[in-house]
Amino acid sequence: MDLKRIQMKIESLMGLTGHRWKNTPNGLYSINLHRVGDLEKTSGDPNVFSCTEEQLSAHLAFMKTQFDIVSLNEVKEFIAQPSLLSKRRCMTITFDDGYADNYECAFPILKSHNVPAAFFIATGLIGNSVLPWWDKVAYILKHKQLKQVQLKSWKHPVCFKGDMKLFIRHVLKEIKATGMELEQQIQELEEISAFQGLYPTPEFMDWEQLKLMHQQGMTIGAHSHHHYILSALTDEDILFELQHSKHLLEKHLGINVNAFSYPVGNQSTYNDGVIEALKSSGYELAFNFRPGVNFHIDKKRYDLHRFPIEPNMTPDDFKQMVSYAKVY
């Protein structure tokens, strides 16, 4: 257990978490979600589910009492004039990928609470019949009931220990960590598992649903085209991922797209070269997927932090996560 976790545990036992929460600093807080619904019913990756519909409604009700919920347009105002943020504790609500349940489940709940959100879309998944790579991995592992997996580039196997959700998460972690081409690794997994079946139909929004959400106050941003790990790509491929996704969103929706979220979003998945490509492609801000409070927002606008919403997270869980977060 690292020192931070020890500190959190000790202070929690001493009842000090509430004091920390009351003294959280002003700044921009952002939460990130992916899928909304019942993770037990999916044929794909259960790890991309953030919460149920009931939990989302409860999260929004809680956030509204604790933060000023703002749109990405207001975030751009803070970037232009950082002093606007110095006396406010604001929050942006974001969703990644573009799953259909964002429209079918999350969108009506957001409207019922009268709060804006931003949806970052991997455009290669919109109107496409191809399942994304992480859902392919999950489907194979569930379908073939493998006891362990080891691809050629891995040093150690990943073993099934009774928890399929955790097994899928660990296999995906190894795939992301290799830096090798994702489709090549999926093909190798298909071969070693003798998978020859058909994948299920992907569950993503279509262009009309995205257009309707934008028309009713939601912001649409880009999440690349293929959802590849950008730092593993050539400079040419990085520019394609950034510019093609922006082009498609602007073409189909008739909007100006200037916000981005990094696929996967941990520190190893983007770098200075990716940020320079974002700037040259006309993006004005970008979000990672690392917890933290955004304060120096003008200087860090291509590296904005987000807190994850996890299944069964309670307000106390959220308070503890935020209370011990770094300020950037």
Side-chain angles (χ1 to χ4, degrees):
M1 185 179 292
D2 60 33
L3 290 176
K4 184 176 180 181
R5 289 185 179 276
I6 293 172
Q7 179 189 10
M8 290 171 63
K9 189 173 183 64
I10 292 173
E11 291 191 3
S12 178
L13 291 171
M14 295 175 65
L16 296 178
T17 303
H19 174 73
R20 273 186 169 269
W21 169 252
K22 289 179 182 177
N23 289 279
T24 49
N26 291 327
L28 177 68
Y29 296 68
S30 185
I31 59 172
N32 181 235
L33 304 95
H34 289 79
R35 299 200 66 174
V36 175
D38 186 350
L39 61 83
E40 300 295 337
K41 295 180 179 179
T42 183
S43 60
D45 180 10
N47 294 287
V48 294
F49 280 80
S50 300
C51 59
T52 65
E53 293 175 70
E54 293 77 12
Q55 289 166 351
L56 175 60
S57 186
H59 287 319
L60 295 178
F62 168 72
M63 300 302 176
K64 287 167 65 178
T65 67
Q66 304 296 319
F67 300 91
D68 295 335
I69 310 296
V70 299
S71 68
L72 286 197
N73 282 334
E74 289 174 275
V75 173
K76 286 190 289 183
E77 292 176 9
F78 298 149
I79 291 171
Q81 194 173 346
S83 61
L84 294 174
L85 192 59
S86 62
K87 297 181 180 180
R88 298 177 65 187
R89 196 165 71 162
C90 298
M91 171 171 284
T92 52
I93 299 165
T94 72
F95 292 79
D96 281 359
D97 297 337
Y99 279 98
D101 53 60
N102 287 188
Y103 175 81
E104 296 162 355
C105 304
F107 180 42
I109 295 170
L110 290 161
K111 288 197 297 181
S112 72
H113 283 273
N114 194 32
V115 295
F119 294 83
F120 292 101
I121 307 302
T123 48
L125 302 176
I126 304 302
N128 196 331
S129 60
V130 178
L131 205 64
W133 57 269
W134 59 92
D135 279 337
K136 284 183 178 179
V137 171
Y139 186 75
I140 291 172
L141 297 181
K142 291 178 179 180
H143 189 70
K144 303 302 291 189
Q145 297 184 333
L146 302 177
K147 297 303 179 185
Q148 73 171 39
V149 174
Q150 183 171 14
L151 302 187
K152 294 175 183 177
S153 58
W154 299 3
K155 293 182 179 179
H156 306 286
V158 175
C159 300
F160 176 68
K161 298 180 180 179
D163 185 332
M164 179 56 71
K165 184 171 182 279
L166 197 60
F167 183 44
I168 293 169
R169 177 181 293 176
H170 287 164
V171 170
L172 289 171
K173 183 179 179 181
E174 288 296 322
I175 288 175
K176 296 171 188 175
T178 65
M180 294 182 61
E181 185 180 340
L182 294 168
E183 293 302 329
Q184 180 182 335
Q185 295 186 78
I186 302 301
Q187 184 177 351
E188 185 181 347
L189 179 60
E190 291 173 340
E191 291 170 356
I192 66 173
S193 66
F195 177 78
Q196 296 178 329
L198 297 174
Y199 289 109
T201 303
E203 302 171 336
F204 288 87
M205 288 185 278
D206 60 35
W207 291 111
E208 287 304 312
Q209 290 169 331
L210 286 170
K211 184 180 293 185
L212 181 61
M213 287 205 303
H214 177 263
Q215 290 172 346
Q216 297 195 27
M218 303 299 155
T219 301
I220 307 298
H223 193 46
S224 81
H225 185 63
H226 290 108
H227 202 287
Y228 293 152
I229 295 171
L230 296 174
S231 59
L233 302 180
T234 65
D235 291 346
E236 182 180 0
D237 287 340
I238 290 170
L239 282 173
F240 173 81
E241 289 295 317
L242 304 184
Q243 295 177 0
H244 192 57
S245 56
K246 178 178 169 68
H247 166 72
L248 288 176
L249 289 168
E250 293 180 341
K251 173 186 174 184
H252 285 278
L253 306 181
I255 62 175
N256 180 33
V257 173
N258 48 39
F260 188 84
S261 74
Y262 300 105
V264 182
N266 60 43
Q267 198 162 11
S268 66
T269 60
Y270 61 102
N271 52 35
D272 290 342
V274 174
I275 292 174
E276 288 304 313
L278 280 169
K279 294 177 181 177
S280 67
S281 299
Y283 291 97
E284 298 177 21
L285 63 143
F287 288 90
N288 60 38
F289 192 42
R290 299 159 53 209
V293 182
N294 303 293
F295 187 76
H296 300 289
I297 190 169
D298 53 330
K299 299 175 182 177
K300 306 284 287 184
R301 63 178 181 159
Y302 292 100
D303 202 11
L304 299 174
H305 292 252
R306 296 185 290 180
F307 294 96
I309 296 297
E310 302 285 356
N312 302 314
M313 178 179 278
T314 67
D316 284 342
D317 295 332
F318 181 81
K319 287 179 180 179
Q320 187 174 57
M321 175 176 61
V322 168
S323 297
Y324 290 86
K326 291 182 179 180
V327 177
Y328 294 90

